[in-house]
Amino acid sequence: MSAAGLRCPGCGSSNIVDDDLYCQAQRVCVDCGSVVSEGSLADDPIGGSDVSYSRTTAVTKKPCLNLIKGLERVKEICRILRLSSEIEDLALTYFRQAYVHESFINVSLQRKELLAGCCVFVSCGQRDWPITLGTICCLLNADQTLVGGVYQEMMKVLNIQAPFINITDVIEAHIQEYKISAQHVPEELAEESEALTKRAVALVELAADSWIVTGRRLLPIMMAATYLAWQSLNPNKHRIRFPLSKFCQVAQVQKRTTATVRITELKQALCKLGRELPWIREAVTENNVVRLVEDILDHRHTLLARALKNHEKAKQDDCTQTDSSNPLTGEVAPSQLSESRDETANASSRVQPCPQNSRENPEGDVDDDHQGEDLEPNWGKRVLFAPPCVIHRKRRRVEQPVQNVTGDEEISDSEIDSYIRTPQEVRDFTLMQNMVSVSDSGKA
Amino acid sequence: MIMDDLALERYFDDSIANESSYIGEEELGLQSPQKQPHASSSKAQNSSQLSNGTSGKLGDDLDLSFLPDDLNNQSSSSTAAAATNQNAAPDALDDSGICLDNSLPDSGATELRQGTVDLGQESRASPFCPMTPMTPMTPMTPVTEKSGIIPQLQNIVSTINLGCPLDLKFIALQARNAEYNPKRFAAVIMRIREPRTTALIFSSGKMVCTGAKSEEQSRLAARKYARVVQKLGFPARFLDFKIQNMVASCDVCFPIRLEGLVLTHQQFSSYEPELFPGLIYRMVKPRIVLLIFVSGKVVLTGAKDRAEIYEAFENIYPILKGFRKQ
């Protein structure tokens, strides 16, 4: 057959046929016999086919191997936590979505594993099955900061609403971890998880009311609540003396160091309420409050109301006492007050001192300030319950307030010169640098 | 999460409290002014605002039938007076509220001045005193006051262009207060004592100045750095000074239930106690990020202007008051 459109360069005839020489394609002119063109392998990409390697060799686009591994990891985590298939599917969807995003496609395998954990965490929260980020960290055996970073990044990528985890929802799951039931430990130490959960939930609610929970990590508070619940369910001498570290050993959980601080804070809050119990004769201290925990929790709300009322009354009595004892303070107080307010190293300044009086949380009268509070007026010391970070306020470095600066002042030459090295200094410095670099290279 | 009834009530009380604070305002103009479109109706007490013809808007919300007819005449004549007298400060009479200067007392004073001038125009003494607030027509909750707290600026970040390429090695050698470690960071870090600031100076001639506590201080500091670079022999200029970020903080002095806040303002808040103890509130208008802590301390950042910070704080304060421990 003849190839249309081609002309033989030799004789100009258009009678050209395909005449293959073995495997090589050739076009030969019938009249003069010259080869018009031959298919050469070297020319193939230019003139010939343009099919790329991936198109010819790949039959279908296979999913990335790491993506498959990641999905498997998600399923694994869901199985360990015994989550429903709905949560598992949601987690898998999120993982697929996040994985292909540019912030996660080229990261290390470790980060991809953390991403798997975070997807599970978010899915649980959204489907009303809250778990803590701490649990995920334990499962993945990763640092909480790293997990936190991946979690924030993932939330940005997926653009979904972060579910808020309420501590009372999570504590039941947390207590399941403790192997403290009758089958694991001897009788005198055992407690059933239902009773433990109920008591711990009440303690956690009390902690939340006393501002111990807000802003803090969940795990130490839950551990503290579990420990105190366990102690108070059977407050014999043995249990009260039982330290936290031993308790964690027995229950086979890892002890958190901040749990001890939380225990102290919780005990302090319990003491404040325990004092209001009308049938208690001796002083309520942190040592003997554990016995009273059951009573305190049963009558929590009444005790709280009484405590606040008594606190308010005590403060008012204080005020009237000092006012009557020292008549001068009445006049001194306002000036001292204005001074203390001016010197306040607080981050805010008040244009009008707002009398913030509410029924239940009295900030106290303005007169209170002169009671030895020559530092900033710490409202935390004046109320019954306040977040611990307010009660133990950090001392701030007092910075002198700078005078009004317009920004266009004259800049003195001497000041600028003080920032510039003299020629002698420059010489010395260069010399020293050379010496240091020589000695460094000598040592190395 | 399911909102309990109490939180729901508080949430609604909040939004109503917010609204009523715009309708009924107290008389002192010395508070930090609000740059809100609602503010126009709230400033109705001031005759200067009335003269703007916002009375039409007022009529929609409030029943003015008890006012004497004089008032309408007064407003119309004052408009002419205002127009001739106050052509210097047209922005102040804008619908959007008082023009915000950097210094609050000034704007307050201008407002008062305008008020008194307008009153002076009228020969008849109006029985209606423009300074007292009108009774709010929907007194669901008591009118919320301005907070009385002013956030203090803690840090200002600004950039300037010195306009000429710089030899960083030379600067690091010749200046006492400079450090330069090209392997770690490609800029000279220079510090001055007064105002206490730090600058990053790049070889392109661009500079970042951080650590100042006010806009003027930042500007002065940037000028000092430019002067140092000049003294070292470079033809440095002072171009394109721009404030990029302002950080402020303040204390509302009562504890805040962050859990409640994240439930009711879910679209704006992010609270993960496991990751960070504070609640991150991303306000939409103005575009400011607030870090709210349980102790009542609030950090505001992301502002390019002081007014944005004040506005953001005035927006968040009523919300926070709603989450005070009741």
Side-chain angles (χ1 to χ4, degrees), chain B residues 145-165:
Chain B
E145 306 178 336
K146 287 257 178 43
S147 61
I149 305 172
I150 299 180
Q152 294 287 87
L153 289 174
Q154 302 292 342
N155 183 25
I156 312 262
V157 177
S158 55
T159 53
I160 66 161
N161 186 3
L162 298 173
C164 65

PDB file of all heavy atoms in Angstrom, chain B residues 145-165:
ATOM      1  N   GLU B 145     -22.691  48.295  81.792  1.00  0.00           N
ATOM      2  CA  GLU B 145     -21.804  49.440  81.655  1.00  0.00           C
ATOM      3  C   GLU B 145     -20.620  49.060  80.795  1.00  0.00           C
ATOM      4  O   GLU B 145     -20.347  47.906  80.580  1.00  0.00           O
ATOM      5  CB  GLU B 145     -21.262  49.841  83.017  1.00  0.00           C
ATOM      6  CG  GLU B 145     -22.325  50.095  84.043  1.00  0.00           C
ATOM      7  CD  GLU B 145     -21.667  50.427  85.366  1.00  0.00           C
ATOM      8  OE1 GLU B 145     -20.510  50.012  85.559  1.00  0.00           O
ATOM      9  OE2 GLU B 145     -22.313  51.082  86.165  1.00  0.00           O
ATOM     10  N   LYS B 146     -19.891  50.075  80.429  1.00  0.00           N
ATOM     11  CA  LYS B 146     -18.588  49.823  79.832  1.00  0.00           C
ATOM     12  C   LYS B 146     -17.718  49.197  80.916  1.00  0.00           C
ATOM     13  O   LYS B 146     -17.913  49.435  82.090  1.00  0.00           O
ATOM     14  CB  LYS B 146     -17.977  51.151  79.396  1.00  0.00           C
ATOM     15  CG  LYS B 146     -18.642  51.717  78.177  1.00  0.00           C
ATOM     16  CD  LYS B 146     -17.768  51.481  76.980  1.00  0.00           C
ATOM     17  CE  LYS B 146     -18.312  51.946  75.663  1.00  0.00           C
ATOM     18  NZ  LYS B 146     -18.939  53.171  75.529  1.00  0.00           N
ATOM     19  N   SER B 147     -16.753  48.446  80.486  1.00  0.00           N
ATOM     20  CA  SER B 147     -16.031  47.655  81.464  1.00  0.00           C
ATOM     21  C   SER B 147     -15.187  48.494  82.393  1.00  0.00           C
ATOM     22  O   SER B 147     -14.950  48.119  83.519  1.00  0.00           O
ATOM     23  CB  SER B 147     -15.135  46.659  80.741  1.00  0.00           C
ATOM     24  OG  SER B 147     -14.208  47.376  79.956  1.00  0.00           O
ATOM     25  N   GLY B 148     -14.678  49.617  81.948  1.00  0.00           N
ATOM     26  CA  GLY B 148     -13.812  50.402  82.808  1.00  0.00           C
ATOM     27  C   GLY B 148     -12.406  49.851  82.874  1.00  0.00           C
ATOM     28  O   GLY B 148     -11.573  50.339  83.616  1.00  0.00           O
ATOM     29  N   ILE B 149     -12.143  48.818  82.108  1.00  0.00           N
ATOM     30  CA  ILE B 149     -10.795  48.243  82.084  1.00  0.00           C
ATOM     31  C   ILE B 149     -10.191  48.554  80.725  1.00  0.00           C
ATOM     32  O   ILE B 149     -10.845  48.374  79.699  1.00  0.00           O
ATOM     33  CB  ILE B 149     -10.853  46.723  82.268  1.00  0.00           C
ATOM     34  CG1 ILE B 149     -11.610  46.380  83.537  1.00  0.00           C
ATOM     35  CG2 ILE B 149      -9.463  46.134  82.320  1.00  0.00           C
ATOM     36  CD1 ILE B 149     -11.864  44.905  83.683  1.00  0.00           C
ATOM     37  N   ILE B 150      -8.951  48.993  80.753  1.00  0.00           N
ATOM     38  CA  ILE B 150      -8.287  49.295  79.494  1.00  0.00           C
ATOM     39  C   ILE B 150      -7.152  48.292  79.299  1.00  0.00           C
ATOM     40  O   ILE B 150      -6.267  48.194  80.151  1.00  0.00           O
ATOM     41  CB  ILE B 150      -7.717  50.720  79.512  1.00  0.00           C
ATOM     42  CG1 ILE B 150      -8.854  51.710  79.697  1.00  0.00           C
ATOM     43  CG2 ILE B 150      -6.981  51.011  78.224  1.00  0.00           C
ATOM     44  CD1 ILE B 150      -8.393  53.126  79.715  1.00  0.00           C
ATOM     45  N   PRO B 151      -7.165  47.546  78.215  1.00  0.00           N
ATOM     46  CA  PRO B 151      -6.057  46.634  77.981  1.00  0.00           C
ATOM     47  C   PRO B 151      -4.746  47.399  77.811  1.00  0.00           C
ATOM     48  O   PRO B 151      -4.723  48.444  77.167  1.00  0.00           O
ATOM     49  CB  PRO B 151      -6.441  45.919  76.687  1.00  0.00           C
ATOM     50  CG  PRO B 151      -7.870  46.188  76.478  1.00  0.00           C
ATOM     51  CD  PRO B 151      -8.183  47.467  77.155  1.00  0.00           C
ATOM     52  N   GLN B 152      -3.681  46.873  78.419  1.00  0.00           N
ATOM     53  CA  GLN B 152      -2.382  47.519  78.302  1.00  0.00           C
ATOM     54  C   GLN B 152      -1.602  46.867  77.185  1.00  0.00           C
ATOM     55  O   GLN B 152      -1.521  45.643  77.114  1.00  0.00           O
ATOM     56  CB  GLN B 152      -1.584  47.334  79.604  1.00  0.00           C
ATOM     57  CG  GLN B 152      -2.189  48.030  80.794  1.00  0.00           C
ATOM     58  CD  GLN B 152      -1.998  49.520  80.727  1.00  0.00           C
ATOM     59  OE1 GLN B 152      -2.806  50.226  80.140  1.00  0.00           O
ATOM     60  NE2 GLN B 152      -0.942  49.990  81.316  1.00  0.00           N
ATOM     61  N   LEU B 153      -0.993  47.690  76.348  1.00  0.00           N
ATOM     62  CA  LEU B 153      -0.183  47.149  75.258  1.00  0.00           C
ATOM     63  C   LEU B 153       1.090  46.553  75.826  1.00  0.00           C
ATOM     64  O   LEU B 153       1.740  47.149  76.685  1.00  0.00           O
ATOM     65  CB  LEU B 153       0.167  48.267  74.271  1.00  0.00           C
ATOM     66  CG  LEU B 153      -1.005  48.770  73.434  1.00  0.00           C
ATOM     67  CD1 LEU B 153      -0.576  49.959  72.614  1.00  0.00           C
ATOM     68  CD2 LEU B 153      -1.487  47.673  72.500  1.00  0.00           C
ATOM     69  N   GLN B 154       1.443  45.379  75.353  1.00  0.00           N
ATOM     70  CA  GLN B 154       2.642  44.707  75.844  1.00  0.00           C
ATOM     71  C   GLN B 154       3.723  44.627  74.787  1.00  0.00           C
ATOM     72  O   GLN B 154       4.899  44.594  75.122  1.00  0.00           O
ATOM     73  CB  GLN B 154       2.293  43.281  76.313  1.00  0.00           C
ATOM     74  CG  GLN B 154       1.253  43.220  77.381  1.00  0.00           C
ATOM     75  CD  GLN B 154       1.728  43.788  78.692  1.00  0.00           C
ATOM     76  OE1 GLN B 154       2.922  43.929  78.913  1.00  0.00           O
ATOM     77  NE2 GLN B 154       0.797  44.134  79.540  1.00  0.00           N
ATOM     78  N   ASN B 155       3.327  44.531  73.523  1.00  0.00           N
ATOM     79  CA  ASN B 155       4.339  44.341  72.493  1.00  0.00           C
ATOM     80  C   ASN B 155       3.814  44.886  71.175  1.00  0.00           C
ATOM     81  O   ASN B 155       2.655  44.693  70.834  1.00  0.00           O
ATOM     82  CB  ASN B 155       4.658  42.854  72.345  1.00  0.00           C
ATOM     83  CG  ASN B 155       5.750  42.591  71.345  1.00  0.00           C
ATOM     84  OD1 ASN B 155       6.587  43.459  71.093  1.00  0.00           O
ATOM     85  ND2 ASN B 155       5.751  41.406  70.768  1.00  0.00           N
ATOM     86  N   ILE B 156       4.704  45.574  70.462  1.00  0.00           N
ATOM     87  CA  ILE B 156       4.342  46.081  69.128  1.00  0.00           C
ATOM     88  C   ILE B 156       5.406  45.577  68.168  1.00  0.00           C
ATOM     89  O   ILE B 156       6.609  45.712  68.437  1.00  0.00           O
ATOM     90  CB  ILE B 156       4.356  47.624  69.103  1.00  0.00           C
ATOM     91  CG1 ILE B 156       3.606  48.190  70.276  1.00  0.00           C
ATOM     92  CG2 ILE B 156       3.830  48.140  67.782  1.00  0.00           C
ATOM     93  CD1 ILE B 156       2.214  48.605  70.019  1.00  0.00           C
ATOM     94  N   VAL B 157       4.989  45.027  67.055  1.00  0.00           N
ATOM     95  CA  VAL B 157       5.926  44.577  66.020  1.00  0.00           C
ATOM     96  C   VAL B 157       5.737  45.481  64.818  1.00  0.00           C
ATOM     97  O   VAL B 157       4.616  45.645  64.341  1.00  0.00           O
ATOM     98  CB  VAL B 157       5.646  43.121  65.620  1.00  0.00           C
ATOM     99  CG1 VAL B 157       6.569  42.686  64.517  1.00  0.00           C
ATOM    100  CG2 VAL B 157       5.790  42.217  66.820  1.00  0.00           C
ATOM    101  N   SER B 158       6.846  46.063  64.366  1.00  0.00           N
ATOM    102  CA  SER B 158       6.726  46.951  63.206  1.00  0.00           C
ATOM    103  C   SER B 158       7.847  46.652  62.224  1.00  0.00           C
ATOM    104  O   SER B 158       8.877  46.085  62.586  1.00  0.00           O
ATOM    105  CB  SER B 158       6.799  48.408  63.645  1.00  0.00           C
ATOM    106  OG  SER B 158       7.984  48.620  64.385  1.00  0.00           O
ATOM    107  N   THR B 159       7.623  47.040  60.964  1.00  0.00           N
ATOM    108  CA  THR B 159       8.644  46.823  59.940  1.00  0.00           C
ATOM    109  C   THR B 159       8.965  48.151  59.282  1.00  0.00           C
ATOM    110  O   THR B 159       8.092  49.007  59.142  1.00  0.00           O
ATOM    111  CB  THR B 159       8.144  45.860  58.852  1.00  0.00           C
ATOM    112  OG1 THR B 159       6.904  46.333  58.352  1.00  0.00           O
ATOM    113  CG2 THR B 159       7.984  44.470  59.388  1.00  0.00           C
ATOM    114  N   ILE B 160      10.219  48.310  58.924  1.00  0.00           N
ATOM    115  CA  ILE B 160      10.560  49.477  58.109  1.00  0.00           C
ATOM    116  C   ILE B 160      11.576  49.060  57.050  1.00  0.00           C
ATOM    117  O   ILE B 160      12.201  48.002  57.165  1.00  0.00           O
ATOM    118  CB  ILE B 160      11.158  50.649  58.912  1.00  0.00           C
ATOM    119  CG1 ILE B 160      12.503  50.278  59.482  1.00  0.00           C
ATOM    120  CG2 ILE B 160      10.253  51.115  60.003  1.00  0.00           C
ATOM    121  CD1 ILE B 160      13.283  51.504  59.861  1.00  0.00           C
ATOM    122  N   ASN B 161      11.718  49.928  56.077  1.00  0.00           N
ATOM    123  CA  ASN B 161      12.642  49.678  54.988  1.00  0.00           C
ATOM    124  C   ASN B 161      13.733  50.745  55.048  1.00  0.00           C
ATOM    125  O   ASN B 161      13.434  51.931  54.968  1.00  0.00           O
ATOM    126  CB  ASN B 161      11.884  49.755  53.655  1.00  0.00           C
ATOM    127  CG  ASN B 161      12.755  49.350  52.490  1.00  0.00           C
ATOM    128  OD1 ASN B 161      13.909  48.965  52.663  1.00  0.00           O
ATOM    129  ND2 ASN B 161      12.195  49.437  51.292  1.00  0.00           N
ATOM    130  N   LEU B 162      14.983  50.291  55.225  1.00  0.00           N
ATOM    131  CA  LEU B 162      16.061  51.267  55.292  1.00  0.00           C
ATOM    132  C   LEU B 162      16.503  51.722  53.911  1.00  0.00           C
ATOM    133  O   LEU B 162      17.274  52.669  53.798  1.00  0.00           O
ATOM    134  CB  LEU B 162      17.252  50.672  56.062  1.00  0.00           C
ATOM    135  CG  LEU B 162      16.970  50.314  57.510  1.00  0.00           C
ATOM    136  CD1 LEU B 162      18.143  49.591  58.127  1.00  0.00           C
ATOM    137  CD2 LEU B 162      16.645  51.553  58.321  1.00  0.00           C
ATOM    138  N   GLY B 163      16.033  51.013  52.912  1.00  0.00           N
ATOM    139  CA  GLY B 163      16.206  51.519  51.555  1.00  0.00           C
ATOM    140  C   GLY B 163      17.557  51.306  50.925  1.00  0.00           C
ATOM    141  O   GLY B 163      17.853  51.901  49.884  1.00  0.00           O
ATOM    142  N   CYS B 164      18.425  50.486  51.534  1.00  0.00           N
ATOM    143  CA  CYS B 164      19.720  50.240  50.893  1.00  0.00           C
ATOM    144  C   CYS B 164      20.225  48.886  51.349  1.00  0.00           C
ATOM    145  O   CYS B 164      19.952  48.464  52.461  1.00  0.00           O
ATOM    146  CB  CYS B 164      20.718  51.328  51.277  1.00  0.00           C
ATOM    147  SG  CYS B 164      21.125  51.318  53.023  1.00  0.00           S
ATOM    148  N   PRO B 165      20.956  48.179  50.511  1.00  0.00           N
ATOM    149  CA  PRO B 165      21.478  46.878  50.950  1.00  0.00           C
ATOM    150  C   PRO B 165      22.545  47.072  52.027  1.00  0.00           C
ATOM    151  O   PRO B 165      23.226  48.088  52.057  1.00  0.00           O
ATOM    152  CB  PRO B 165      22.091  46.285  49.671  1.00  0.00           C
ATOM    153  CG  PRO B 165      22.292  47.426  48.755  1.00  0.00           C
ATOM    154  CD  PRO B 165      21.345  48.496  49.117  1.00  0.00           C
TER     155      PRO B 165
END
